[in-house]
Amino acid sequence: MSVGTWAASVHRKRMRTARVRQRGTPFERARRRLFLPFVGPALILYGLIMIAPMVFNLWVSVNHWAGAGAFTFVGFDNYAFLASDPVFRESFVNTILIVVVGGVGVFAVSFFLTMLLRNMFGKRYLRLIVFFPSIVPGVVVSILWGFMFNQDGLVNLILGAIGIQHPPLWLSQDNMLWIVILGLVWLHAGVYTTVLTAAADRIPPELYEASELDGASSFRQFRSITLPLLMDVVTVCAILWCESALKVFEFILVFGGASSDLPPTAVWNIALYSYASAFDPKAIPRFGVAAACGVVLLCLTLVLSVFARRITRADRITY
Amino acid sequence: MTDNNGFQMNRRGFLVTLTGLASVPILASCSSGSPTQQATSTAGAKAAKQFTYWSNWNKGEPTQQVLASVFSDFQDKSGITVQAQWKGRKPVQKLLPALNTGNVPADLISDNTGQIVNVLGSTESARNLSSVYGMTLPGEKHTVKDLIGRYEGYAKPEGKQTLVMFPYVSQFYVMWYNGKSFPHLKDNPPENWSEFFKLLDSLRAKGRRPLALDGSNPAYNLQYFNNFAWSIGSYDQWIKAATDKTGKTWNQEPFQKAAELVEKLVKGDYFIEGYKASKFPAMQQKWANNESDFIMNGTWTPTESKPYAAPGFEYRSFPFPAVKGHKAPPIKLGFQGMAIVNKVPKARQEAAAALLPWLLTKEAQEQFAKKAFQMPVRTDVKAPDQLADALKALKSGNITPHLPPPSVTPYVNKVLKPADDDLVFGKSTAKDFIANLQSASQAYWARQQG
């Protein structure tokens, strides 16, 4: 075999190998053929249930629409209107306050309870008690919460009993949002405490035993062992909190509203603003503006989720 | 798109699939442009023997029971079956998506004035009821127009002459009190605020805070400013101010005086203690337990507060008094009404139309008052004691002639109510209130134009 023939043969062989690699083994080819038949239905469902409504919402947000009848294309007018409306700006700020201040509150309480419950006697039953507020419907909690903070409600009775005769006006419009946030913390802290304590249970006890021998306090154990080893779960919890806090709706509607009227604008968040735009019982519905609110919420969810991931980012620790 | 096994999906194909999926609802909404054609083509004589009604009442509610009894009479006499679906509150919102398709599930629907006139009427989804207004009531000589013709202004969407709502009960605000505590007011209610202030001052002298108010509801707070303004000025002047793009109309004397009167009520501590920081219905409960004396609230108050009212509480009311030297403010009405959906077959529309006069018969109207404690729209029926005074007020005929334009509602929510809350909570003076209102109105309308 001449050198030229040998070289040509090697080249052919390489080309054939490359083609086989490209096409894959028969098993891989069969898998590829079955990809669409298997994934297709799920893709169609996902498209119909998730993507299509989102695209439809996007379309509505660039139109004037009363919920029935003709669409009038208005470009970005609805977004410009939102940007210029002080009530929307206030609603936006309130939304961020709920996410951030509420988030700090929820996780502070959850971490504290996680730390407290780790070694406590009867911790299983205590967890149930902590989890209890989360199974009560938000609307019920909202109503009870309102009555607790009324001028002659339970909170002021307790404060009066310990000598505080002039408590703050909890439910005045200036303070109402803070009371809403407090209510949300109370409502949600149990869920996150349950998730975090469940994750903390998986941390090997010898780590705590070793740290105890080294003289670490409970707080030091939490800071140096529990928290770093829970970071993955904390990240997921932070994203879940952002997503749920952005959509808080019925709690505010019931807490601030009366019968069929809307609550004062001082406590509106974006979800409530969107509702007021589409479903004000006495006005022509503005679904375009409501849909634009939906797009703003979607963007906020994405931004806050990325932000939550970044601030809770840590090296993965295997144990 | 590549998966872990080296599978390469055609990117263009994927995008085309995705776009196709996403366009389904858009195309669906666009392709539903001729529902009337589809609907009318299915019209048949048999269909007219029945029609579907979507109600804003839940099964078991007193008003639902009265409606069911009226339907039963109607079915017996006319042979037309009413397929009633008791949907509960806001059925118009539930119907909206279906109005974009060729398959509308309700022929007749009931809701409040705003939902019917502003939502169904403005989107041209409700049939013109002019012919129904001309119908004669079963067993009576009256036509529908004889009885509710004066409410026509409420039944027309802004800028249109079509009557889209058929009102059957009304709602409005009056000043409620316990008849046992003030027996002399039954026959001599205060005619003006000068007289009323004397009464309030005598109560203040006894250490009472006589006016109950749930400040957490901006709509309740606004009653005082509005009624003062409607008394000193007029309802139309108020609408002019609420739609004035410059906001300058608020500077006029009636509004300044109205704001000063509200300021007087705030500074004189006439409002119940805790009204600035309470959750509805805490203050209403206190009033019903005689901890305060008067409450400016709707005709629904007896039904709403009865479960927690003091034993023997006797509901009495009088209209918001006039400001001395001025006329009494008109009563601003709200209604529970019916509408016929115009995208359903004509035969079904006619069947639904035949039912409507039955809701106005003397018997039906008395049932609404007696069994459901609703304010009848007819003034020649006997109302129960709780509503007798309010009915007297309605009989006086001093009512606002029409709805405010729909554009006023978002304005009131975003501009007037927040400014009024500041005034009612003592955060701003009457002077500040007018100035704030003017600048906020100007900015609000500039945004609407932009």
Side-chain angles (χ1 to χ4, degrees):
Chain A
M1 190 188 285
S2 70
V3 174
T5 318
W6 177 79
S9 155
V10 168
H11 179 70
R12 273 199 303 277
K13 210 180 245 176
R14 278 184 184 160
M15 289 297 286
R16 199 163 46 241
T17 312
R19 272 203 299 275
V20 168
R21 256 188 215 150
Q22 209 174 19
R23 290 203 305 265
T25 62
F27 175 69
E28 284 168 351
R29 287 203 299 276
R31 274 185 77 171
R32 259 199 326 260
R33 274 199 303 277
L34 287 173
F35 182 83
L36 266 184
F38 273 86
V39 177
L43 201 65
I44 290 170
L45 269 181
Y46 184 78
L48 281 173
I49 295 167
M50 304 295 290
I51 307 290
M54 261 198 277
V55 176
F56 183 59
N57 185 72
L58 208 62
W59 168 247
V60 175
S61 77
V62 291
N63 282 278
H64 277 323
W65 189 45
F71 283 84
T72 311
F73 183 76
V74 291
F76 290 102
D77 277 10
N78 290 329
Y79 293 93
F81 173 75
L82 289 183
S84 67
D85 186 356
V87 177
F88 179 78
R89 289 203 294 268
E90 192 176 18
S91 306
F92 187 91
V93 171
N94 288 347
T95 307
I96 298 294
L97 282 175
I98 289 171
V99 172
V100 176
V101 180
V104 169
V106 163
F107 285 97
V109 173
S110 301
F111 285 144
F112 176 72
L113 289 175
T114 304
M115 201 164 69
L116 203 70
L117 290 175
R118 201 179 63 78
N119 285 323
M120 195 175 264
F121 174 74
K123 63 181 179 182
R124 282 189 177 182
Y125 300 103
L126 287 171
R127 278 182 199 178
L128 268 180
I129 293 167
V130 169
F131 188 70
F132 178 72
S134 314
I135 55 173
V136 180
V139 173
V140 177
V141 176
S142 173
I143 293 167
L144 292 176
W145 204 251
F147 281 105
M148 271 172 61
F149 283 93
N150 263 333
Q151 204 182 25
D152 48 4
L154 186 65
V155 173
N156 283 358
L157 280 178
I158 293 169
L159 290 176
I162 58 171
I164 300 171
Q165 296 306 324
H166 299 289
L169 297 172
W170 304 112
L171 298 181
S172 70
Q173 285 189 10
D174 295 336
N175 297 330
M176 202 184 268
L177 183 73
W178 302 110
I179 300 298
V180 166
I181 291 175
L182 199 64
L184 291 171
V185 171
W186 187 78
L187 199 61
H188 288 90
V191 179
Y192 296 106
T193 305
T194 307
V195 175
L196 292 175
T197 46
D201 283 348
R202 293 174 56 229
I203 298 172
E206 53 267 30
L207 293 176
Y208 291 105
E209 287 161 13
S211 65
E212 268 169 29
L213 290 175
D214 290 339
S217 63
S218 288
F219 179 71
R220 184 61 199 257
Q221 284 180 335
F222 177 78
R223 193 165 67 87
S224 302
I225 300 172
T226 314
L227 192 58
L229 294 180
L230 286 184
M231 224 45 194
D232 278 355
V233 181
V234 171
T235 305
V236 174
C237 287
I239 292 169
L240 286 176
W241 164 254
C242 289
E243 189 254 346
S244 65
L246 284 171
K247 293 191 300 193
V248 169
F249 170 71
E250 81 281 6
F251 195 94
I252 301 176
L253 183 72
V254 176
F255 191 79
S259 46
S260 62
D261 283 303
L262 293 166
T265 52
V267 291
W268 285 14
N269 64 349
I270 299 178
L272 208 81
Y273 184 99
S274 175
Y275 172 81
S277 303
F279 299 118
D280 187 322
K282 293 165 193 159
I284 295 177
R286 301 178 75 179
F287 277 88
V289 173
C293 286
V295 175
V296 172
L297 265 184
L298 181 70
C299 296
L300 256 182
T301 309
L302 290 173
V303 169
L304 286 174
S305 299
V306 171
F307 185 67
R309 274 190 74 88
R310 286 193 75 84
I311 59 167
T312 53
R313 188 167 59 183
D315 293 332
R316 182 181 288 270
I317 302 169
T318 310
Y319 55 92
Chain B
M1 182 175 275
T2 308
D3 73 5
N4 291 338
N5 298 311
F7 174 77
Q8 274 199 322
M9 188 173 174
N10 182 311
R11 183 179 296 234
R12 187 184 291 176
F14 177 77
L15 286 174
V16 167
T17 310
L18 216 57
T19 313
L21 288 172
S23 61
V24 168
I26 297 172
L27 291 174
S29 69
C30 296
S31 66
S32 59
S34 58
T36 314
Q37 287 167 1
Q38 291 172 30
T40 48
S41 66
T42 59
K46 203 176 177 184
K49 287 287 172 198
Q50 59 182 33
F51 66 90
T52 305
Y53 160 64
W54 274 21
S55 180
N56 59 329
W57 303 104
N58 291 299
K59 203 164 187 178
E61 285 184 300
T63 310
Q64 180 270 333
Q65 289 169 357
V66 176
L67 283 172
S69 132
V70 174
F71 294 169
S72 172
D73 284 351
F74 169 72
Q75 282 172 188
D76 290 346
K77 305 269 167 50
S78 68
I80 298 172
T81 307
V82 184
Q83 292 173 319
Q85 293 186 22
W86 310 104
K87 294 277 182 187
R89 304 294 177 266
K90 299 181 182 172
V92 166
Q93 289 175 11
K94 293 167 191 158
L95 186 70
L96 269 184
L99 291 174
N100 298 301
T101 70
N103 185 21
V104 181
D107 308 300
L108 180 71
I109 191 162
S110 63
D111 213 320
N112 62 39
T113 321
Q115 289 289 294
I116 289 178
V117 178
N118 292 338
V119 180
L120 286 181
S122 301
T123 56
E124 297 183 347
S125 307
R127 169 191 154 151
N128 187 353
L129 298 175
S130 302
S131 59
V132 178
Y133 273 62
M135 289 165 84
T136 307
L137 263 58
E140 293 186 38
K141 287 177 185 171
H142 301 291
T143 63
V144 169
K145 193 166 180 155
D146 292 340
L147 298 170
I148 58 168
R150 63 178 177 150
Y151 308 133
E152 278 187 7
Y154 287 89
K156 296 174 185 169
E158 189 189 16
K160 293 176 183 163
Q161 287 308 308
T162 46
L163 295 164
V164 298
M165 183 186 63
F166 187 94
Y168 60 96
V169 289
S170 66
Q171 292 167 328
F172 52 90
Y173 284 81
V174 281
M175 194 67 83
W176 291 99
Y177 65 95
N178 185 353
K180 278 198 172 165
S181 308
F182 303 97
H184 63 287
L185 291 181
K186 285 179 199 171
D187 298 321
N188 297 299
E191 280 187 11
N192 56 51
W193 269 86
S194 187
E195 284 178 24
F196 195 34
F197 266 125
K198 271 184 201 158
L199 174 62
L200 296 179
D201 287 338
S202 68
L203 293 163
R204 284 290 298 122
K206 290 176 193 164
R208 287 183 72 83
R209 306 278 291 258
L211 295 176
L213 173 66
D214 270 298
S216 61
N217 187 347
Y220 293 171
N221 300 339
L222 191 57
Q223 290 304 317
Y224 286 90
F225 173 74
N226 278 358
N227 279 288
F228 282 135
W230 296 341
S231 173
I232 304 167
S234 70
Y235 181 67
D236 284 335
Q237 199 174 357
W238 180 88
I239 288 183
K240 195 181 162 203
T243 49
D244 177 9
K245 311 287 183 265
T246 66
K248 284 180 184 166
T249 311
W250 291 119
N251 264 329
Q252 292 176 355
E253 201 189 350
F255 305 114
Q256 287 184 8
K257 281 193 171 171
E260 282 163 13
L261 282 165
V262 177
E263 192 180 8
K264 183 180 173 180
L265 289 175
V266 175
K267 288 191 172 161
D269 285 338
Y270 291 97
F271 290 125
I272 189 170
E273 200 174 345
Y275 79 98
K276 294 178 186 176
S278 62
K279 180 173 165 21
F280 171 83
M283 299 297 114
Q284 186 173 294
Q285 286 178 337
K286 288 190 172 202
W287 167 77
N289 278 293
N290 294 322
E291 288 178 50
S292 187
D293 305 295
F294 300 95
I295 191 166
M296 184 65 186
N297 213 326
T299 44
W300 54 84
T301 302
T303 320
E304 209 170 69
S305 61
K306 207 176 177 184
Y308 46 75
F313 196 97
E314 192 184 311
Y315 288 94
R316 306 294 309 207
S317 64
F318 54 83
F320 194 90
V323 176
K324 197 177 181 187
H326 299 275
K327 64 193 178 310
I331 292 170
K332 184 171 177 277
L333 292 172
F335 294 99
Q336 294 294 327
M338 302 241 175
I340 297 174
V341 183
N342 65 4
K343 296 186 175 181
V344 298
K346 285 277 187 286
R348 293 177 79 92
Q349 289 184 30
E350 290 308 320
L355 164 76
L356 295 179
W358 287 74
L359 299 168
L360 291 187
T361 61
K362 212 165 190 177
E363 194 188 341
Q365 288 283 298
E366 277 177 357
Q367 295 299 310
F368 282 125
K370 278 181 194 162
K371 286 192 179 167
F373 297 109
Q374 293 278 9
M375 180 61 63
V377 282
R378 278 180 77 152
T379 51
D380 59 346
V381 296
K382 193 177 180 303
D385 290 345
Q386 293 99 317
L387 297 175
D389 297 316
L391 188 64
K392 219 187 291 170
L394 186 64
K395 242 181 221 177
S396 74
N398 184 20
I399 57 170
T400 56
H402 49 78
L403 278 175
S407 60
V408 167
T409 300
Y411 167 82
V412 168
N413 280 339
K414 289 181 178 177
V415 180
L416 185 54
K417 281 181 183 172
D420 178 68
D421 281 353
D422 284 350
L423 177 67
V424 170
F425 296 149
K427 286 193 224 164
S428 65
T429 62
K431 213 174 166 187
D432 295 339
F433 166 73
I434 295 292
N436 293 344
L437 203 50
Q438 191 181 333
S439 58
S441 302
Q442 222 166 30
Y444 176 85
W445 291 113
R447 287 196 302 277
Q448 305 302 310
Q449 284 159 353

